[in-house]
Amino acid sequence: MSRFPAFLVALATSAALCAAPASAAEPAPLAKHQVTFDKYSLLLDGRRQVVWSGEFHPFRLPSPDLWRDVLQKMKATGYTAVSIYFDWNYHSPAPGVYDFTGVRDMDRVLDLAAEAGLYVIARPGPYINAEVTGGGFPAWLGTQAGRARSDAPDYLAASDEWLSRIDRIIARHQYTDGRGPVILYQIENELAATGVAQQNYVAHLHDKVRADGITVPVFHNDKGRNGIWVPPDSGVPGTVPGKVDLYAFDGYPGGTCRTDATPGNPNVAPDWGTYGPGGAKGGASASPNTPGFVAEFGGGWFDYWGSNGTYPCTAVRQGPGYERVFYGTNLANGLTLQNFYMTFGGTSWGWLPAPVVYSSYDYGAAIDEGRQLRPKALTMKELGYFLATVPDVAKMDRGEPVTPSSAAVKVYHNVNPDTGVHLYVPMHAPSNATTDDTFTFPLSTPDGSYTVPLRLTGQDAKQLVANFDVAGQHLVYSTSELMAQAAGTVLLHGRPGEDGETVLRYASRPRVDVLAGDVTATWTGTDLRLNYRHDGLARVRISGGGRPAVTLLLADDATADTFWSASGLLVRGPDLVRTARAGFVLTGDTKAARDLEVWGARSPVLLWNGAVVPVRPTASGSVVALRPLPGPADPRLPSLTGWRSAPGSPESSPEFDDTAWAVADRTTTNSTTPPPAGQPVLTADDYGFGVGDVWYRGRFTGPPGEQVSLRYGGGGAGMLQAWLDGQYLGQHVLPSALAAPPTTGTATFTVPAELRGDGPHVLSVMVRNDGHNEDGGVNDAHKEGRGLISSSLTGAGWKLRGGTADPVRGPLNNGGLAGERAGWTLPGFPDRGWTPATVPAATASPGTTWYRTTFSLSVPSGQDTSVGLTLGDPARVRSGGHYRVLVFLNGWNVGQYVADVGPQHTFALPNGILDPHGRNTLALAVTSDGGAGNGLEQVALTDLGSARGGVPVRPVPSPGWPSRP
């Protein structure tokens, strides 16, 4: 079957397939488009849309080529849109200074979304929350006098400065002017205060973005369902109108995992639309003239310092059963705009995290932190493909009530008023029941009245349609769920082992050929009834009866999940199908040797990732590869050896030269934690040090007393270490294992008797800043002080030093450790003079010790291996070691490990930052309380998932020594 492979390869790479223009003539003007809406749905150029969106934050994946990987995976798993936060603090290290290059190139991510075929919901803040430091506010904003998220002039000026920059980018990617995928724009996020200052603020934001050229509909995301910031014509008593076009809200009804990290039993799925209580707090009912829009619905939940490590648990709890029940309930309630937060969580690398979260932002999402598809991603594919196959769901009214034969079950019933298509969504009553129920329910459509047999096992719901035309056939009803159709082929699926029944209508008796599986066909009047069990893949060919021939594929869920719908093709076998062109050119991934079968192919051979694949035709109307596609090879990750170390706390020595340090001479501050009267302002933000570790040195001549007390702000699991005249006093760690941890505290140390004299003395203090508070309460919480706030010493003169922004890696990469400032994190730094070291280390000195090594990778070409770095014993949530590690890969701060707080042990090393085909530099800043058991534990590379395929990934700039900030 491969008579013309050379010709086909050439054709696949030709300009014709790339849709290149035939000449250099002046390009045609861009076509204008419309984004409109009514009470049912969004309409794009008059076409109704169910917006099936997933949240993705490019700032949590510092490798732009991997943005393409994630976006392609989202498109392949059924999403039609991506929601993107744009993080102000990620782009602005100082007032008036903005960077949109490299990993901060937001034009690029919007281009990639368009390339992947995804619409975009743009969410630029100014405030985003998102569990990022300051809720997205840059650290320098915390020094302003005016209240944030209000009409204070200095805050409005700053937010306008940000919006002017980001809107310039978003505006040139709008669907409305034909230049891009952006269909919706969010102003602000979860703004719960509704005073005059906030009403003026929301109006100002609206007018600003319109003046900046934003023409798509504008909305605000209401935290919960409070009826806040609804369109002016809502007319619902108790709502708060705002200058917006759409009303949107968020909700996370899935709950959290129990402390033993088991899935537990989720909450009841809420009715936040047409079946709900109505009114201002009923969800979509707060705005009856606009479509139901949930801007954030739980696709998982974040985890916090000191937890038991609940991401794997959350992935199960908010897994396939949850998705079918909760998201299906939303569809039944007319929520035709749904965005699932998160779909890819990624990593809060560097100093990006808010105090509540640690470095991993995996979220238990459909795509895990290592970019691997979880089982729940495949259930999202089932649902997303269903919506693409049944666009009638975009406009539904409540149908006649349906009473099932069992009181343990309820059935939502909706009808499209234009097409007459019926939607039935059966689930347990209440929906969190997990029993096994066999029942029937009555179905009545223009086709007649039927009694439909069904079964629900465990946490489950089904999306069933009736009176529906598909692939030239008329579906009376099916107890299987429609998943996809292409090239005269229809795929239906159901739970493994459950019976299925599909009824089709014909003018006369058609011919039925069962090609595979155990399927019984009966003919009654005008109805063809197929009965079968969902077990593997049954294939039925139906021809005649006054309709075009069709192939029905009847699969269990696991088998259905091996199918992919792409550009008019239906593809079975690979672990991912990324793209399809020209009916035979495919790209995708395989995690092991896989079959390849394609319906709708338009060639005697296929191209898979550029390689010719000979095929043969089947009786099912498909072509199947003559041999399996190959899977990945063992990446053979090396052991980490050759460590060298050097001490990293020279500031603790009384002889250290701090001449060039900033003098703490300010007497006023806009921080919410000012010092006591008469003491100098010490908070780090007031001196331009808003990120990472900050060192202080206080000189005084009088006796220190028996104890020294230091009040400080450190964020979640923040820490302080202190030395007096070079002698270590100890460390203090803020409490954790709380969803809302304290972010300030007071460290009190006993002064050794030999140091209690008149001096002179030098008190050296290092404070670790684990992020600024979010401002969810509109109370300037982000202005809480970081670094030292005050001390028990009187008459001390203080100096301080923090980090500076890396010009390539950005403002959140580096803090103020001496090693960071000296370039010890960078590739090529001359560390031959360092001391050879053994890892694990049996003991440690107080303060920071640096470890460095290099390693080389040789991941096979054409393979995507996601690599992680694992510290300590991942079987233990927390180790006993009182130490923490900043992990630098090729100069990039990829996260913080805290051994005695936990729960994270493994850190994703994204390709691009990581060179999978060359040499890499690993630098670890280990900050310890000192002594036995507090040294660096074992360190190893981990394969987080390998696939043959992937996307091309170029190196992200990683300037080395001496090109340091």
Side-chain angles (χ1 to χ4, degrees):
M1 297 296 296
S2 55
R3 295 170 55 195
F4 309 110
F7 163 74
L8 291 168
V9 172
L11 181 62
T13 56
S14 69
L17 282 182
C18 293
S23 68
E26 198 67 30
L30 295 170
K32 299 294 184 181
H33 297 286
Q34 286 188 322
V35 182
T36 58
F37 54 87
D38 60 15
K39 69 176 184 177
Y40 294 106
S41 71
L42 206 68
L43 294 95
L44 302 181
D45 296 327
R47 302 185 316 277
R48 291 197 178 277
Q49 302 286 326
V50 174
V51 177
W52 195 249
S53 174
E55 189 80 14
F56 163 58
H57 300 157
F59 52 83
R60 283 188 159 115
L61 183 58
S63 179
D65 284 334
L66 291 184
W67 300 344
R68 175 183 278 115
D69 174 67
V70 171
L71 293 169
Q72 286 184 350
K73 285 172 177 170
M74 290 179 64
K75 178 65 175 179
T77 51
Y79 294 86
T80 61
V82 57
S83 173
I84 299 176
Y85 269 141
F86 298 89
D87 183 5
W88 185 359
N89 73 35
Y90 188 64
H91 297 275
S92 181
V97 179
Y98 289 85
D99 185 0
F100 292 97
T101 64
V103 299
R104 292 169 293 281
D105 185 348
M106 297 298 99
D107 275 302
R108 186 171 179 185
V109 75
L110 294 173
D111 283 339
L112 289 172
E115 175 195 284
L118 293 168
Y119 298 117
V120 172
I121 301 172
R123 305 211 290 162
Y127 180 78
I128 63 172
N129 206 68
E131 289 74 59
V132 296
T133 180
F137 287 156
W140 57 261
L141 192 74
T143 64
Q144 286 192 331
R147 177 163 296 231
R149 311 181 75 189
S150 79
D151 60 1
D154 55 352
Y155 172 72
L156 290 183
S159 61
D160 283 356
E161 179 183 284
W162 158 245
L163 291 174
S164 293
R165 268 67 168 195
I166 192 63
D167 286 349
R168 188 179 305 148
I169 294 171
I170 295 172
R172 55 179 174 253
H173 293 273
Q174 292 183 100
Y175 179 81
T176 42
D177 61 12
R179 294 192 291 172
V182 176
I183 57 173
L184 295 169
Y185 181 106
Q186 178 178 305
I187 54 172
E188 253 285 354
N189 183 65
E190 298 180 339
L191 181 63
T194 59
V196 173
Q198 281 69 46
Q199 293 179 37
N200 293 339
Y201 172 46
V202 171
H204 175 90
L205 291 176
H206 175 277
D207 293 346
K208 168 62 178 170
V209 302
R210 289 295 187 223
D212 285 345
I214 301 300
T215 57
V216 298
V218 168
F219 70 97
H220 165 272
N221 173 39
D222 188 6
K223 183 178 183 179
R225 293 141 309 283
N226 301 299
I228 294 175
W229 312 124
V230 302
D233 63 349
S234 165
V236 177
T239 57
V240 177
K243 210 168 183 181
V244 295
D245 301 308
L246 296 171
Y247 173 66
F249 58 92
D250 63 23
Y252 294 83
T256 58
C257 290
R258 298 199 302 264
T259 56
D260 59 357
T262 58
N265 193 28
N267 298 334
V268 174
D271 291 314
W272 286 339
T274 54
Y275 288 88
K281 297 183 180 297
S285 57
S287 181
N289 303 319
T290 61
F293 184 3
V294 56
E296 295 179 22
F297 198 89
W301 189 248
F302 63 83
D303 204 11
Y304 50 88
W305 285 113
S307 79
N308 286 324
T310 62
Y311 283 144
C313 165
T314 302
V316 173
R317 183 183 176 92
Q318 272 93 310
Y322 171 91
E323 292 169 328
R324 291 176 177 129
V325 170
F326 283 70
Y327 306 165
T329 298
N330 287 346
L331 289 170
N333 273 270
L335 300 182
T336 58
L337 288 89
Q338 294 192 58
N339 177 54
F340 305 105
Y341 189 108
M342 298 292 298
T343 292
F344 171 75
T347 304
S348 297
W349 59 280
W351 298 108
L352 184 64
V356 71
V357 293
Y358 47 91
S359 299
S360 175
Y361 200 66
D362 177 275
Y363 219 81
I367 305 173
D368 71 20
E369 188 178 8
R371 299 178 291 106
Q372 309 302 302
L373 298 181
R374 285 190 164 110
K376 62 190 287 184
L378 302 180
T379 303
M380 292 302 288
K381 179 174 68 170
E382 297 168 8
L383 293 167
Y385 284 11
F386 165 78
L387 293 171
T389 305
V390 190
D392 311 70
V393 175
K395 184 179 182 180
M396 287 274 171
D397 291 325
R398 289 179 62 162
E400 290 295 320
V402 171
T403 303
S405 62
S406 169
V409 172
K410 64 179 177 180
V411 179
Y412 293 98
H413 176 212
N414 294 340
V415 183
N416 185 298
D418 299 332
T419 65
V421 171
H422 290 238
L423 172 69
Y424 297 88
V425 185
M427 65 183 67
H428 285 109
S431 67
N432 63 353
T434 56
T435 56
D436 185 348
D437 290 285
T438 300
F439 61 98
T440 62
F441 70 88
L443 181 151
S444 181
T445 73
D447 292 325
S449 297
Y450 299 83
T451 299
V452 179
L454 211 60
R455 179 180 171 188
L456 287 171
T457 302
Q459 185 187 37
D460 197 12
K462 301 181 181 181
Q463 311 292 314
L464 306 178
V465 293
N467 191 36
F468 178 66
D469 293 333
V470 58
Q473 315 301 304
H474 182 74
L475 178 67
V476 177
Y477 73 85
S478 179
T479 63
S480 300
E481 293 170 278
L482 273 170
M483 183 166 165
Q485 67 93 17
T489 304
V490 179
L491 173 63
L492 301 100
H493 68 102
R495 311 299 169 259
E498 291 187 4
D499 292 334
E501 181 173 276
T502 295
V503 179
L504 300 163
R505 179 149 295 180
Y506 294 91
S508 59
R509 184 169 187 167
R511 173 176 173 171
V512 179
D513 294 303
V514 178
L515 306 176
D518 185 6
V519 181
T520 300
T522 57
W523 174 257
T524 306
T526 58
D527 287 352
L528 174 66
R529 187 181 308 271
L530 303 176
N531 293 95
Y532 45 89
R533 179 160 292 180
H534 296 107
D535 181 13
L537 182 63
R539 305 174 186 232
V540 180
R541 184 73 173 169
I542 304 172
S543 55
R547 297 187 181 278
V550 67
T551 298
L552 297 186
L553 304 175
L554 308 169
D556 60 35
D557 294 333
T559 303
D561 290 344
T562 67
F563 281 80
W564 306 88
S565 178
S567 299
L569 303 181
L570 191 60
V571 184
R572 181 189 66 84
D575 294 279
L576 178 71
V577 174
R578 294 178 178 273
T579 65
R581 291 185 295 148
F584 72 99
V585 183
L586 305 172
T587 66
D589 296 0
T590 52
K591 287 182 164 292
R594 302 295 190 207
D595 294 334
L596 176 64
E597 186 174 7
V598 179
W599 285 261
R602 298 191 296 275
S603 166
V605 298
L606 300 174
L607 285 182
W608 175 258
N609 291 340
V612 175
V613 179
V615 297
R616 61 173 177 80
T618 74
S620 302
S622 63
V623 295
V624 62
L626 297 182
R627 54 185 176 271
L629 302 174
D634 183 349
R636 298 186 181 277
L637 301 179
S639 298
L640 297 175
T641 59
W643 292 98
R644 292 180 174 272
S645 71
S649 298
E651 301 93 337
S652 63
S653 171
E655 289 78 29
F656 180 82
D657 182 5
D658 58 19
T659 305
W661 285 24
V663 177
D665 56 2
R666 303 177 71 92
T667 58
T668 61
T669 180
N670 290 316
S671 168
T672 57
T673 51
Q679 289 198 20
V681 172
L682 298 176
T683 42
D685 289 316
D686 285 290
Y687 299 93
F689 304 127
V691 173
D693 297 330
V694 182
W695 273 92
Y696 292 82
R697 285 169 60 84
R699 299 180 184 275
F700 60 99
T701 56
E706 295 183 2
Q707 291 184 324
V708 171
S709 293
L710 302 165
R711 187 181 178 212
Y712 71 104
M719 178 197 66
L720 178 149
Q721 292 187 325
W723 290 257
L724 182 60
D725 299 337
Q727 187 167 333
Y728 184 60
L729 298 182
Q731 76 173 21
H732 183 272
V733 178
L734 293 173
S736 54
L738 299 168
T743 49
T744 65
T746 299
T748 300
F749 303 108
T750 298
V751 177
E754 66 272 19
L755 299 180
R756 294 177 185 174
D758 283 342
H761 298 289
V762 179
L763 181 64
S764 301
V765 180
M766 191 276 275
V767 179
R768 175 147 297 175
N769 169 12
D770 278 341
H772 290 77
N773 296 345
E774 298 167 291
D775 192 30
V778 197
N779 56 3
D780 275 352
H782 64 292
K783 295 180 181 178
E784 182 181 85
R786 291 294 177 261
L788 283 183
I789 296 172
S790 62
S791 78
S792 61
L793 301 175
T794 58
W798 289 93
K799 288 186 171 185
L800 69 160
R801 184 183 70 177
T804 58
D806 185 310
V808 173
R809 299 173 182 93
L812 302 176
N813 195 73
N814 290 338
L817 293 178
E820 291 176 291
R821 300 177 68 90
W824 293 4
T825 66
L826 301 177
F829 175 79
D831 59 10
R832 299 304 298 173
W834 288 21
T835 303
T838 299
V839 175
T843 187
S845 300
T848 298
T849 301
W850 285 81
Y851 291 80
R852 281 174 56 93
T853 190
T854 61
F855 61 92
S856 294
L857 297 178
S858 55
V859 174
S861 178
Q863 177 166 315
D864 179 7
T865 293
S866 179
V867 179
L869 185 77
T870 299
L871 292 87
D873 181 0
R876 302 171 64 191
V877 175
R878 282 168 285 279
S879 84
H882 299 300
Y883 77 97
R884 54 186 64 197
V885 183
L886 299 182
V887 180
F888 291 88
L889 174 70
N890 296 326
W892 294 79
N893 179 344
V894 297
Q896 179 182 190
Y897 171 71
V898 184
D900 52 353
V901 174
Q904 185 176 6
H905 285 269
T906 298
F907 297 79
L909 308 178
N911 292 336
I913 301 299
L914 178 77
D915 184 350
H917 311 294
R919 191 178 186 187
N920 298 274
T921 297
L922 186 63
L924 306 179
V926 180
T927 301
S928 171
D929 199 24
N934 295 329
L936 178 63
E937 297 168 275
Q938 62 185 356
V939 183
L941 298 175
T942 307
D943 183 355
L944 302 180
S946 289
R948 190 176 180 94
V951 298
V953 179
R954 291 162 290 184
V956 176
S958 294
W961 179 269
S963 300
R964 61 188 187 278

